[in-house]
mmCIF file of all heavy atoms in Angstrom:
data_model
loop_
_atom_site.group_PDB
_atom_site.id
_atom_site.type_symbol
_atom_site.label_atom_id
_atom_site.label_comp_id
_atom_site.label_asym_id
_atom_site.label_seq_id
_atom_site.Cartn_x
_atom_site.Cartn_y
_atom_site.Cartn_z
ATOM 1 N N ILE I 394 30.383 8.115 -25.557
ATOM 2 C CA ILE I 394 29.603 8.433 -24.350
ATOM 3 C C ILE I 394 29.849 7.333 -23.336
ATOM 4 O O ILE I 394 29.664 6.146 -23.620
ATOM 5 C CB ILE I 394 28.093 8.544 -24.639
ATOM 6 C CG1 ILE I 394 27.802 9.591 -25.699
ATOM 7 C CG2 ILE I 394 27.345 8.884 -23.347
ATOM 8 C CD1 ILE I 394 26.320 9.727 -26.067
ATOM 9 N N LEU I 395 30.263 7.740 -22.140
ATOM 10 C CA LEU I 395 30.518 6.826 -21.036
ATOM 11 C C LEU I 395 29.410 7.022 -19.997
ATOM 12 O O LEU I 395 29.275 8.099 -19.422
ATOM 13 C CB LEU I 395 31.894 7.118 -20.434
ATOM 14 C CG LEU I 395 32.336 6.333 -19.205
ATOM 15 C CD1 LEU I 395 32.281 4.825 -19.473
ATOM 16 C CD2 LEU I 395 33.754 6.742 -18.799
ATOM 17 N N PHE I 396 28.606 5.979 -19.779
ATOM 18 C CA PHE I 396 27.492 6.060 -18.836
ATOM 19 C C PHE I 396 27.926 5.538 -17.468
ATOM 20 O O PHE I 396 28.605 4.520 -17.369
ATOM 21 C CB PHE I 396 26.300 5.241 -19.338
ATOM 22 C CG PHE I 396 25.679 5.775 -20.603
ATOM 23 C CD1 PHE I 396 26.088 5.314 -21.846
ATOM 24 C CD2 PHE I 396 24.691 6.747 -20.540
ATOM 25 C CE1 PHE I 396 25.514 5.801 -23.009
ATOM 26 C CE2 PHE I 396 24.118 7.250 -21.704
ATOM 27 C CZ PHE I 396 24.534 6.776 -22.942
ATOM 28 N N THR I 402 22.077 4.913 -18.509
ATOM 29 C CA THR I 402 22.245 4.081 -19.697
ATOM 30 C C THR I 402 20.919 3.819 -20.386
ATOM 31 O O THR I 402 20.783 4.000 -21.605
ATOM 32 C CB THR I 402 22.910 2.739 -19.326
ATOM 33 O OG1 THR I 402 24.155 2.996 -18.673
ATOM 34 C CG2 THR I 402 23.169 1.904 -20.559
ATOM 35 N N PHE I 406 20.028 5.320 -24.017
ATOM 36 C CA PHE I 406 19.816 4.432 -25.152
ATOM 37 C C PHE I 406 18.446 4.641 -25.793
ATOM 38 O O PHE I 406 18.298 4.547 -27.015
ATOM 39 C CB PHE I 406 19.986 2.976 -24.715
ATOM 40 C CG PHE I 406 21.426 2.550 -24.570
ATOM 41 C CD1 PHE I 406 22.449 3.483 -24.583
ATOM 42 C CD2 PHE I 406 21.756 1.216 -24.410
ATOM 43 C CE1 PHE I 406 23.772 3.107 -24.444
ATOM 44 C CE2 PHE I 406 23.076 0.818 -24.272
ATOM 45 C CZ PHE I 406 24.082 1.766 -24.287
ATOM 46 N N LEU I 420 29.525 6.074 -33.108
ATOM 47 C CA LEU I 420 29.739 6.612 -31.771
ATOM 48 C C LEU I 420 29.995 5.465 -30.783
ATOM 49 O O LEU I 420 29.237 4.497 -30.730
ATOM 50 C CB LEU I 420 28.490 7.392 -31.345
ATOM 51 C CG LEU I 420 28.483 8.078 -29.979
ATOM 52 C CD1 LEU I 420 29.444 9.253 -29.966
ATOM 53 C CD2 LEU I 420 27.067 8.567 -29.654
ATOM 54 N N SER I 421 31.073 5.538 -30.017
ATOM 55 C CA SER I 421 31.358 4.508 -29.016
ATOM 56 C C SER I 421 30.474 4.723 -27.795
ATOM 57 O O SER I 421 30.436 5.825 -27.227
ATOM 58 C CB SER I 421 32.830 4.561 -28.596
ATOM 59 O OG SER I 421 33.657 4.039 -29.603
ATOM 60 N N LEU I 422 29.774 3.673 -27.399
ATOM 61 C CA LEU I 422 28.878 3.733 -26.242
ATOM 62 C C LEU I 422 29.353 2.728 -25.211
ATOM 63 O O LEU I 422 29.466 1.538 -25.498
ATOM 64 C CB LEU I 422 27.445 3.413 -26.659
ATOM 65 C CG LEU I 422 26.850 4.284 -27.757
ATOM 66 C CD1 LEU I 422 25.502 3.717 -28.202
ATOM 67 C CD2 LEU I 422 26.701 5.721 -27.284
ATOM 68 N N ILE I 423 29.615 3.199 -24.002
ATOM 69 C CA ILE I 423 30.011 2.305 -22.913
ATOM 70 C C ILE I 423 28.905 2.351 -21.860
ATOM 71 O O ILE I 423 28.725 3.342 -21.161
ATOM 72 C CB ILE I 423 31.360 2.714 -22.289
ATOM 73 C CG1 ILE I 423 32.437 2.851 -23.372
ATOM 74 C CG2 ILE I 423 31.772 1.690 -21.233
ATOM 75 C CD1 ILE I 423 32.755 1.570 -24.115
ATOM 76 N N ALA I 424 28.147 1.269 -21.793
ATOM 77 C CA ALA I 424 27.004 1.204 -20.881
ATOM 78 C C ALA I 424 27.460 0.827 -19.480
ATOM 79 O O ALA I 424 28.449 0.118 -19.298
ATOM 80 C CB ALA I 424 26.005 0.160 -21.386
ATOM 81 N N PHE I 425 26.714 1.294 -18.481
ATOM 82 C CA PHE I 425 26.866 0.762 -17.128
ATOM 83 C C PHE I 425 25.725 -0.226 -16.948
ATOM 84 O O PHE I 425 24.550 0.155 -16.887
ATOM 85 C CB PHE I 425 26.801 1.866 -16.069
ATOM 86 C CG PHE I 425 27.144 1.361 -14.689
ATOM 87 C CD1 PHE I 425 28.461 1.191 -14.316
ATOM 88 C CD2 PHE I 425 26.152 1.027 -13.785
ATOM 89 C CE1 PHE I 425 28.789 0.704 -13.057
ATOM 90 C CE2 PHE I 425 26.468 0.542 -12.523
ATOM 91 C CZ PHE I 425 27.784 0.390 -12.158
ATOM 92 N N ASP I 426 26.064 -1.506 -16.876
ATOM 93 C CA ASP I 426 25.057 -2.569 -16.978
ATOM 94 C C ASP I 426 25.122 -3.459 -15.747
ATOM 95 O O ASP I 426 25.645 -4.569 -15.799
ATOM 96 C CB ASP I 426 25.331 -3.376 -18.251
ATOM 97 C CG ASP I 426 24.225 -4.369 -18.570
ATOM 98 O OD1 ASP I 426 23.192 -4.324 -17.898
ATOM 99 O OD2 ASP I 426 24.422 -5.185 -19.483
ATOM 100 N N MET I 431 21.463 -4.806 -20.774
ATOM 101 C CA MET I 431 21.626 -3.868 -21.884
ATOM 102 C C MET I 431 21.770 -4.558 -23.240
ATOM 103 O O MET I 431 21.120 -4.183 -24.210
ATOM 104 C CB MET I 431 22.832 -2.959 -21.634
ATOM 105 C CG MET I 431 22.718 -2.137 -20.375
ATOM 106 S SD MET I 431 21.219 -1.122 -20.356
ATOM 107 C CE MET I 431 21.197 -0.655 -18.630
ATOM 108 N N HIS I 432 22.640 -5.575 -23.299
ATOM 109 C CA HIS I 432 22.841 -6.250 -24.585
ATOM 110 C C HIS I 432 21.557 -6.933 -25.046
ATOM 111 O O HIS I 432 21.227 -6.922 -26.237
ATOM 112 C CB HIS I 432 23.987 -7.258 -24.476
ATOM 113 C CG HIS I 432 25.332 -6.625 -24.600
ATOM 114 N ND1 HIS I 432 25.891 -6.296 -25.807
ATOM 115 C CD2 HIS I 432 26.215 -6.227 -23.647
ATOM 116 C CE1 HIS I 432 27.074 -5.740 -25.608
ATOM 117 N NE2 HIS I 432 27.303 -5.681 -24.315
ATOM 118 N N LEU I 439 21.848 -1.206 -31.496
ATOM 119 C CA LEU I 439 23.047 -0.423 -31.227
ATOM 120 C C LEU I 439 24.301 -1.281 -31.329
ATOM 121 O O LEU I 439 25.302 -1.002 -30.696
ATOM 122 C CB LEU I 439 22.963 0.205 -29.822
ATOM 123 C CG LEU I 439 21.769 1.134 -29.572
ATOM 124 C CD1 LEU I 439 21.758 1.607 -28.121
ATOM 125 C CD2 LEU I 439 21.811 2.344 -30.491
ATOM 126 N N GLY I 441 27.759 -3.146 -32.581
ATOM 127 C CA GLY I 441 28.981 -2.691 -33.235
ATOM 128 C C GLY I 441 29.665 -1.559 -32.501
ATOM 129 O O GLY I 441 30.855 -1.362 -32.656
ATOM 130 N N THR I 442 28.939 -0.803 -31.685
ATOM 131 C CA THR I 442 29.550 0.318 -30.974
ATOM 132 C C THR I 442 29.358 0.185 -29.467
ATOM 133 O O THR I 442 29.732 1.078 -28.725
ATOM 134 C CB THR I 442 28.903 1.651 -31.422
ATOM 135 O OG1 THR I 442 27.511 1.606 -31.145
ATOM 136 C CG2 THR I 442 29.107 1.888 -32.897
ATOM 137 N N LEU I 443 28.770 -0.937 -29.040
ATOM 138 C CA LEU I 443 28.334 -1.050 -27.654
ATOM 139 C C LEU I 443 29.264 -1.921 -26.821
ATOM 140 O O LEU I 443 29.465 -3.091 -27.105
ATOM 141 C CB LEU I 443 26.915 -1.640 -27.618
ATOM 142 C CG LEU I 443 26.316 -1.942 -26.237
ATOM 143 C CD1 LEU I 443 26.235 -0.667 -25.412
ATOM 144 C CD2 LEU I 443 24.940 -2.577 -26.395
ATOM 145 N N GLY I 444 29.839 -1.317 -25.784
ATOM 146 C CA GLY I 444 30.568 -2.056 -24.764
ATOM 147 C C GLY I 444 29.879 -1.809 -23.437
ATOM 148 O O GLY I 444 28.985 -0.960 -23.337
ATOM 149 N N SER I 445 30.260 -2.536 -22.405
ATOM 150 C CA SER I 445 29.582 -2.330 -21.127
ATOM 151 C C SER I 445 30.518 -2.585 -19.955
ATOM 152 O O SER I 445 31.518 -3.299 -20.067
ATOM 153 C CB SER I 445 28.345 -3.230 -21.019
ATOM 154 O OG SER I 445 28.711 -4.590 -20.955
ATOM 155 N N ILE I 446 30.150 -1.980 -18.840
ATOM 156 C CA ILE I 446 30.847 -2.168 -17.571
ATOM 157 C C ILE I 446 29.869 -2.888 -16.649
ATOM 158 O O ILE I 446 28.751 -2.410 -16.413
ATOM 159 C CB ILE I 446 31.256 -0.819 -16.954
ATOM 160 C CG1 ILE I 446 32.199 -0.082 -17.897
ATOM 161 C CG2 ILE I 446 31.891 -1.016 -15.592
ATOM 162 C CD1 ILE I 446 32.472 1.352 -17.479
ATOM 163 N N GLY I 447 30.267 -4.043 -16.150
ATOM 164 C CA GLY I 447 29.378 -4.825 -15.300
ATOM 165 C C GLY I 447 29.976 -5.054 -13.927
ATOM 166 O O GLY I 447 31.179 -4.857 -13.695
ATOM 167 N N GLU I 479 33.941 -5.427 -14.261
ATOM 168 C CA GLU I 479 34.170 -6.230 -15.457
ATOM 169 C C GLU I 479 33.899 -5.403 -16.708
ATOM 170 O O GLU I 479 32.889 -4.705 -16.794
ATOM 171 C CB GLU I 479 33.238 -7.447 -15.456
ATOM 172 C CG GLU I 479 33.498 -8.401 -14.293
ATOM 173 C CD GLU I 479 32.451 -9.503 -14.214
ATOM 174 O OE1 GLU I 479 31.374 -9.347 -14.834
ATOM 175 O OE2 GLU I 479 32.699 -10.511 -13.529
ATOM 176 N N LEU I 480 34.800 -5.483 -17.679
ATOM 177 C CA LEU I 480 34.626 -4.818 -18.968
ATOM 178 C C LEU I 480 34.175 -5.866 -19.972
ATOM 179 O O LEU I 480 34.848 -6.887 -20.155
ATOM 180 C CB LEU I 480 35.933 -4.174 -19.414
ATOM 181 C CG LEU I 480 36.609 -3.277 -18.373
ATOM 182 C CD1 LEU I 480 37.898 -2.698 -18.921
ATOM 183 C CD2 LEU I 480 35.660 -2.177 -17.919
ATOM 184 N N ARG I 481 33.048 -5.613 -20.612
ATOM 185 C CA ARG I 481 32.439 -6.638 -21.462
ATOM 186 C C ARG I 481 32.172 -6.117 -22.867
ATOM 187 O O ARG I 481 31.684 -5.007 -23.029
ATOM 188 C CB ARG I 481 31.102 -7.092 -20.876
ATOM 189 C CG ARG I 481 31.155 -7.580 -19.439
ATOM 190 C CD ARG I 481 29.764 -7.705 -18.873
ATOM 191 N NE ARG I 481 29.762 -8.137 -17.488
ATOM 192 C CZ ARG I 481 28.761 -7.921 -16.646
ATOM 193 N NH1 ARG I 481 27.689 -7.270 -17.046
ATOM 194 N NH2 ARG I 481 28.840 -8.355 -15.413
ATOM 195 N N GLY I 482 32.452 -6.953 -23.860
ATOM 196 C CA GLY I 482 31.968 -6.771 -25.230
ATOM 197 C C GLY I 482 32.314 -5.453 -25.881
ATOM 198 O O GLY I 482 32.880 -4.541 -25.306
ATOM 199 N N GLY I 483 31.952 -5.347 -27.155
ATOM 200 C CA GLY I 483 32.074 -4.100 -27.890
ATOM 201 C C GLY I 483 33.500 -3.755 -28.274
ATOM 202 O O GLY I 483 34.460 -4.163 -27.643
ATOM 203 N N GLN I 484 33.668 -2.996 -29.312
ATOM 204 C CA GLN I 484 34.968 -2.524 -29.760
ATOM 205 C C GLN I 484 35.055 -1.029 -29.482
ATOM 206 O O GLN I 484 34.213 -0.260 -29.924
ATOM 207 C CB GLN I 484 35.149 -2.777 -31.265
ATOM 208 C CG GLN I 484 35.190 -4.261 -31.639
ATOM 209 C CD GLN I 484 36.392 -4.957 -31.072
ATOM 210 O OE1 GLN I 484 37.501 -4.401 -31.089
ATOM 211 N NE2 GLN I 484 36.208 -6.161 -30.553
ATOM 212 N N VAL I 485 36.074 -0.646 -28.716
ATOM 213 C CA VAL I 485 36.292 0.768 -28.458
ATOM 214 C C VAL I 485 36.884 1.391 -29.720
ATOM 215 O O VAL I 485 37.904 0.941 -30.230
ATOM 216 C CB VAL I 485 37.242 0.962 -27.258
ATOM 217 C CG1 VAL I 485 37.601 2.435 -27.113
ATOM 218 C CG2 VAL I 485 36.608 0.440 -25.986
#
Side-chain angles (χ1 to χ4, degrees):
I394 303 178
L395 176 56
F396 294 92
T402 304
F406 282 12
L420 181 69
S421 286
L422 303 172
I423 307 297
F425 188 80
D426 189 8
M431 300 304 166
H432 279 279
L439 301 176
T442 59
L443 175 60
S445 67
I446 299 170
E479 297 173 343
L480 309 180
R481 305 167 181 157
Q484 295 295 318
V485 173

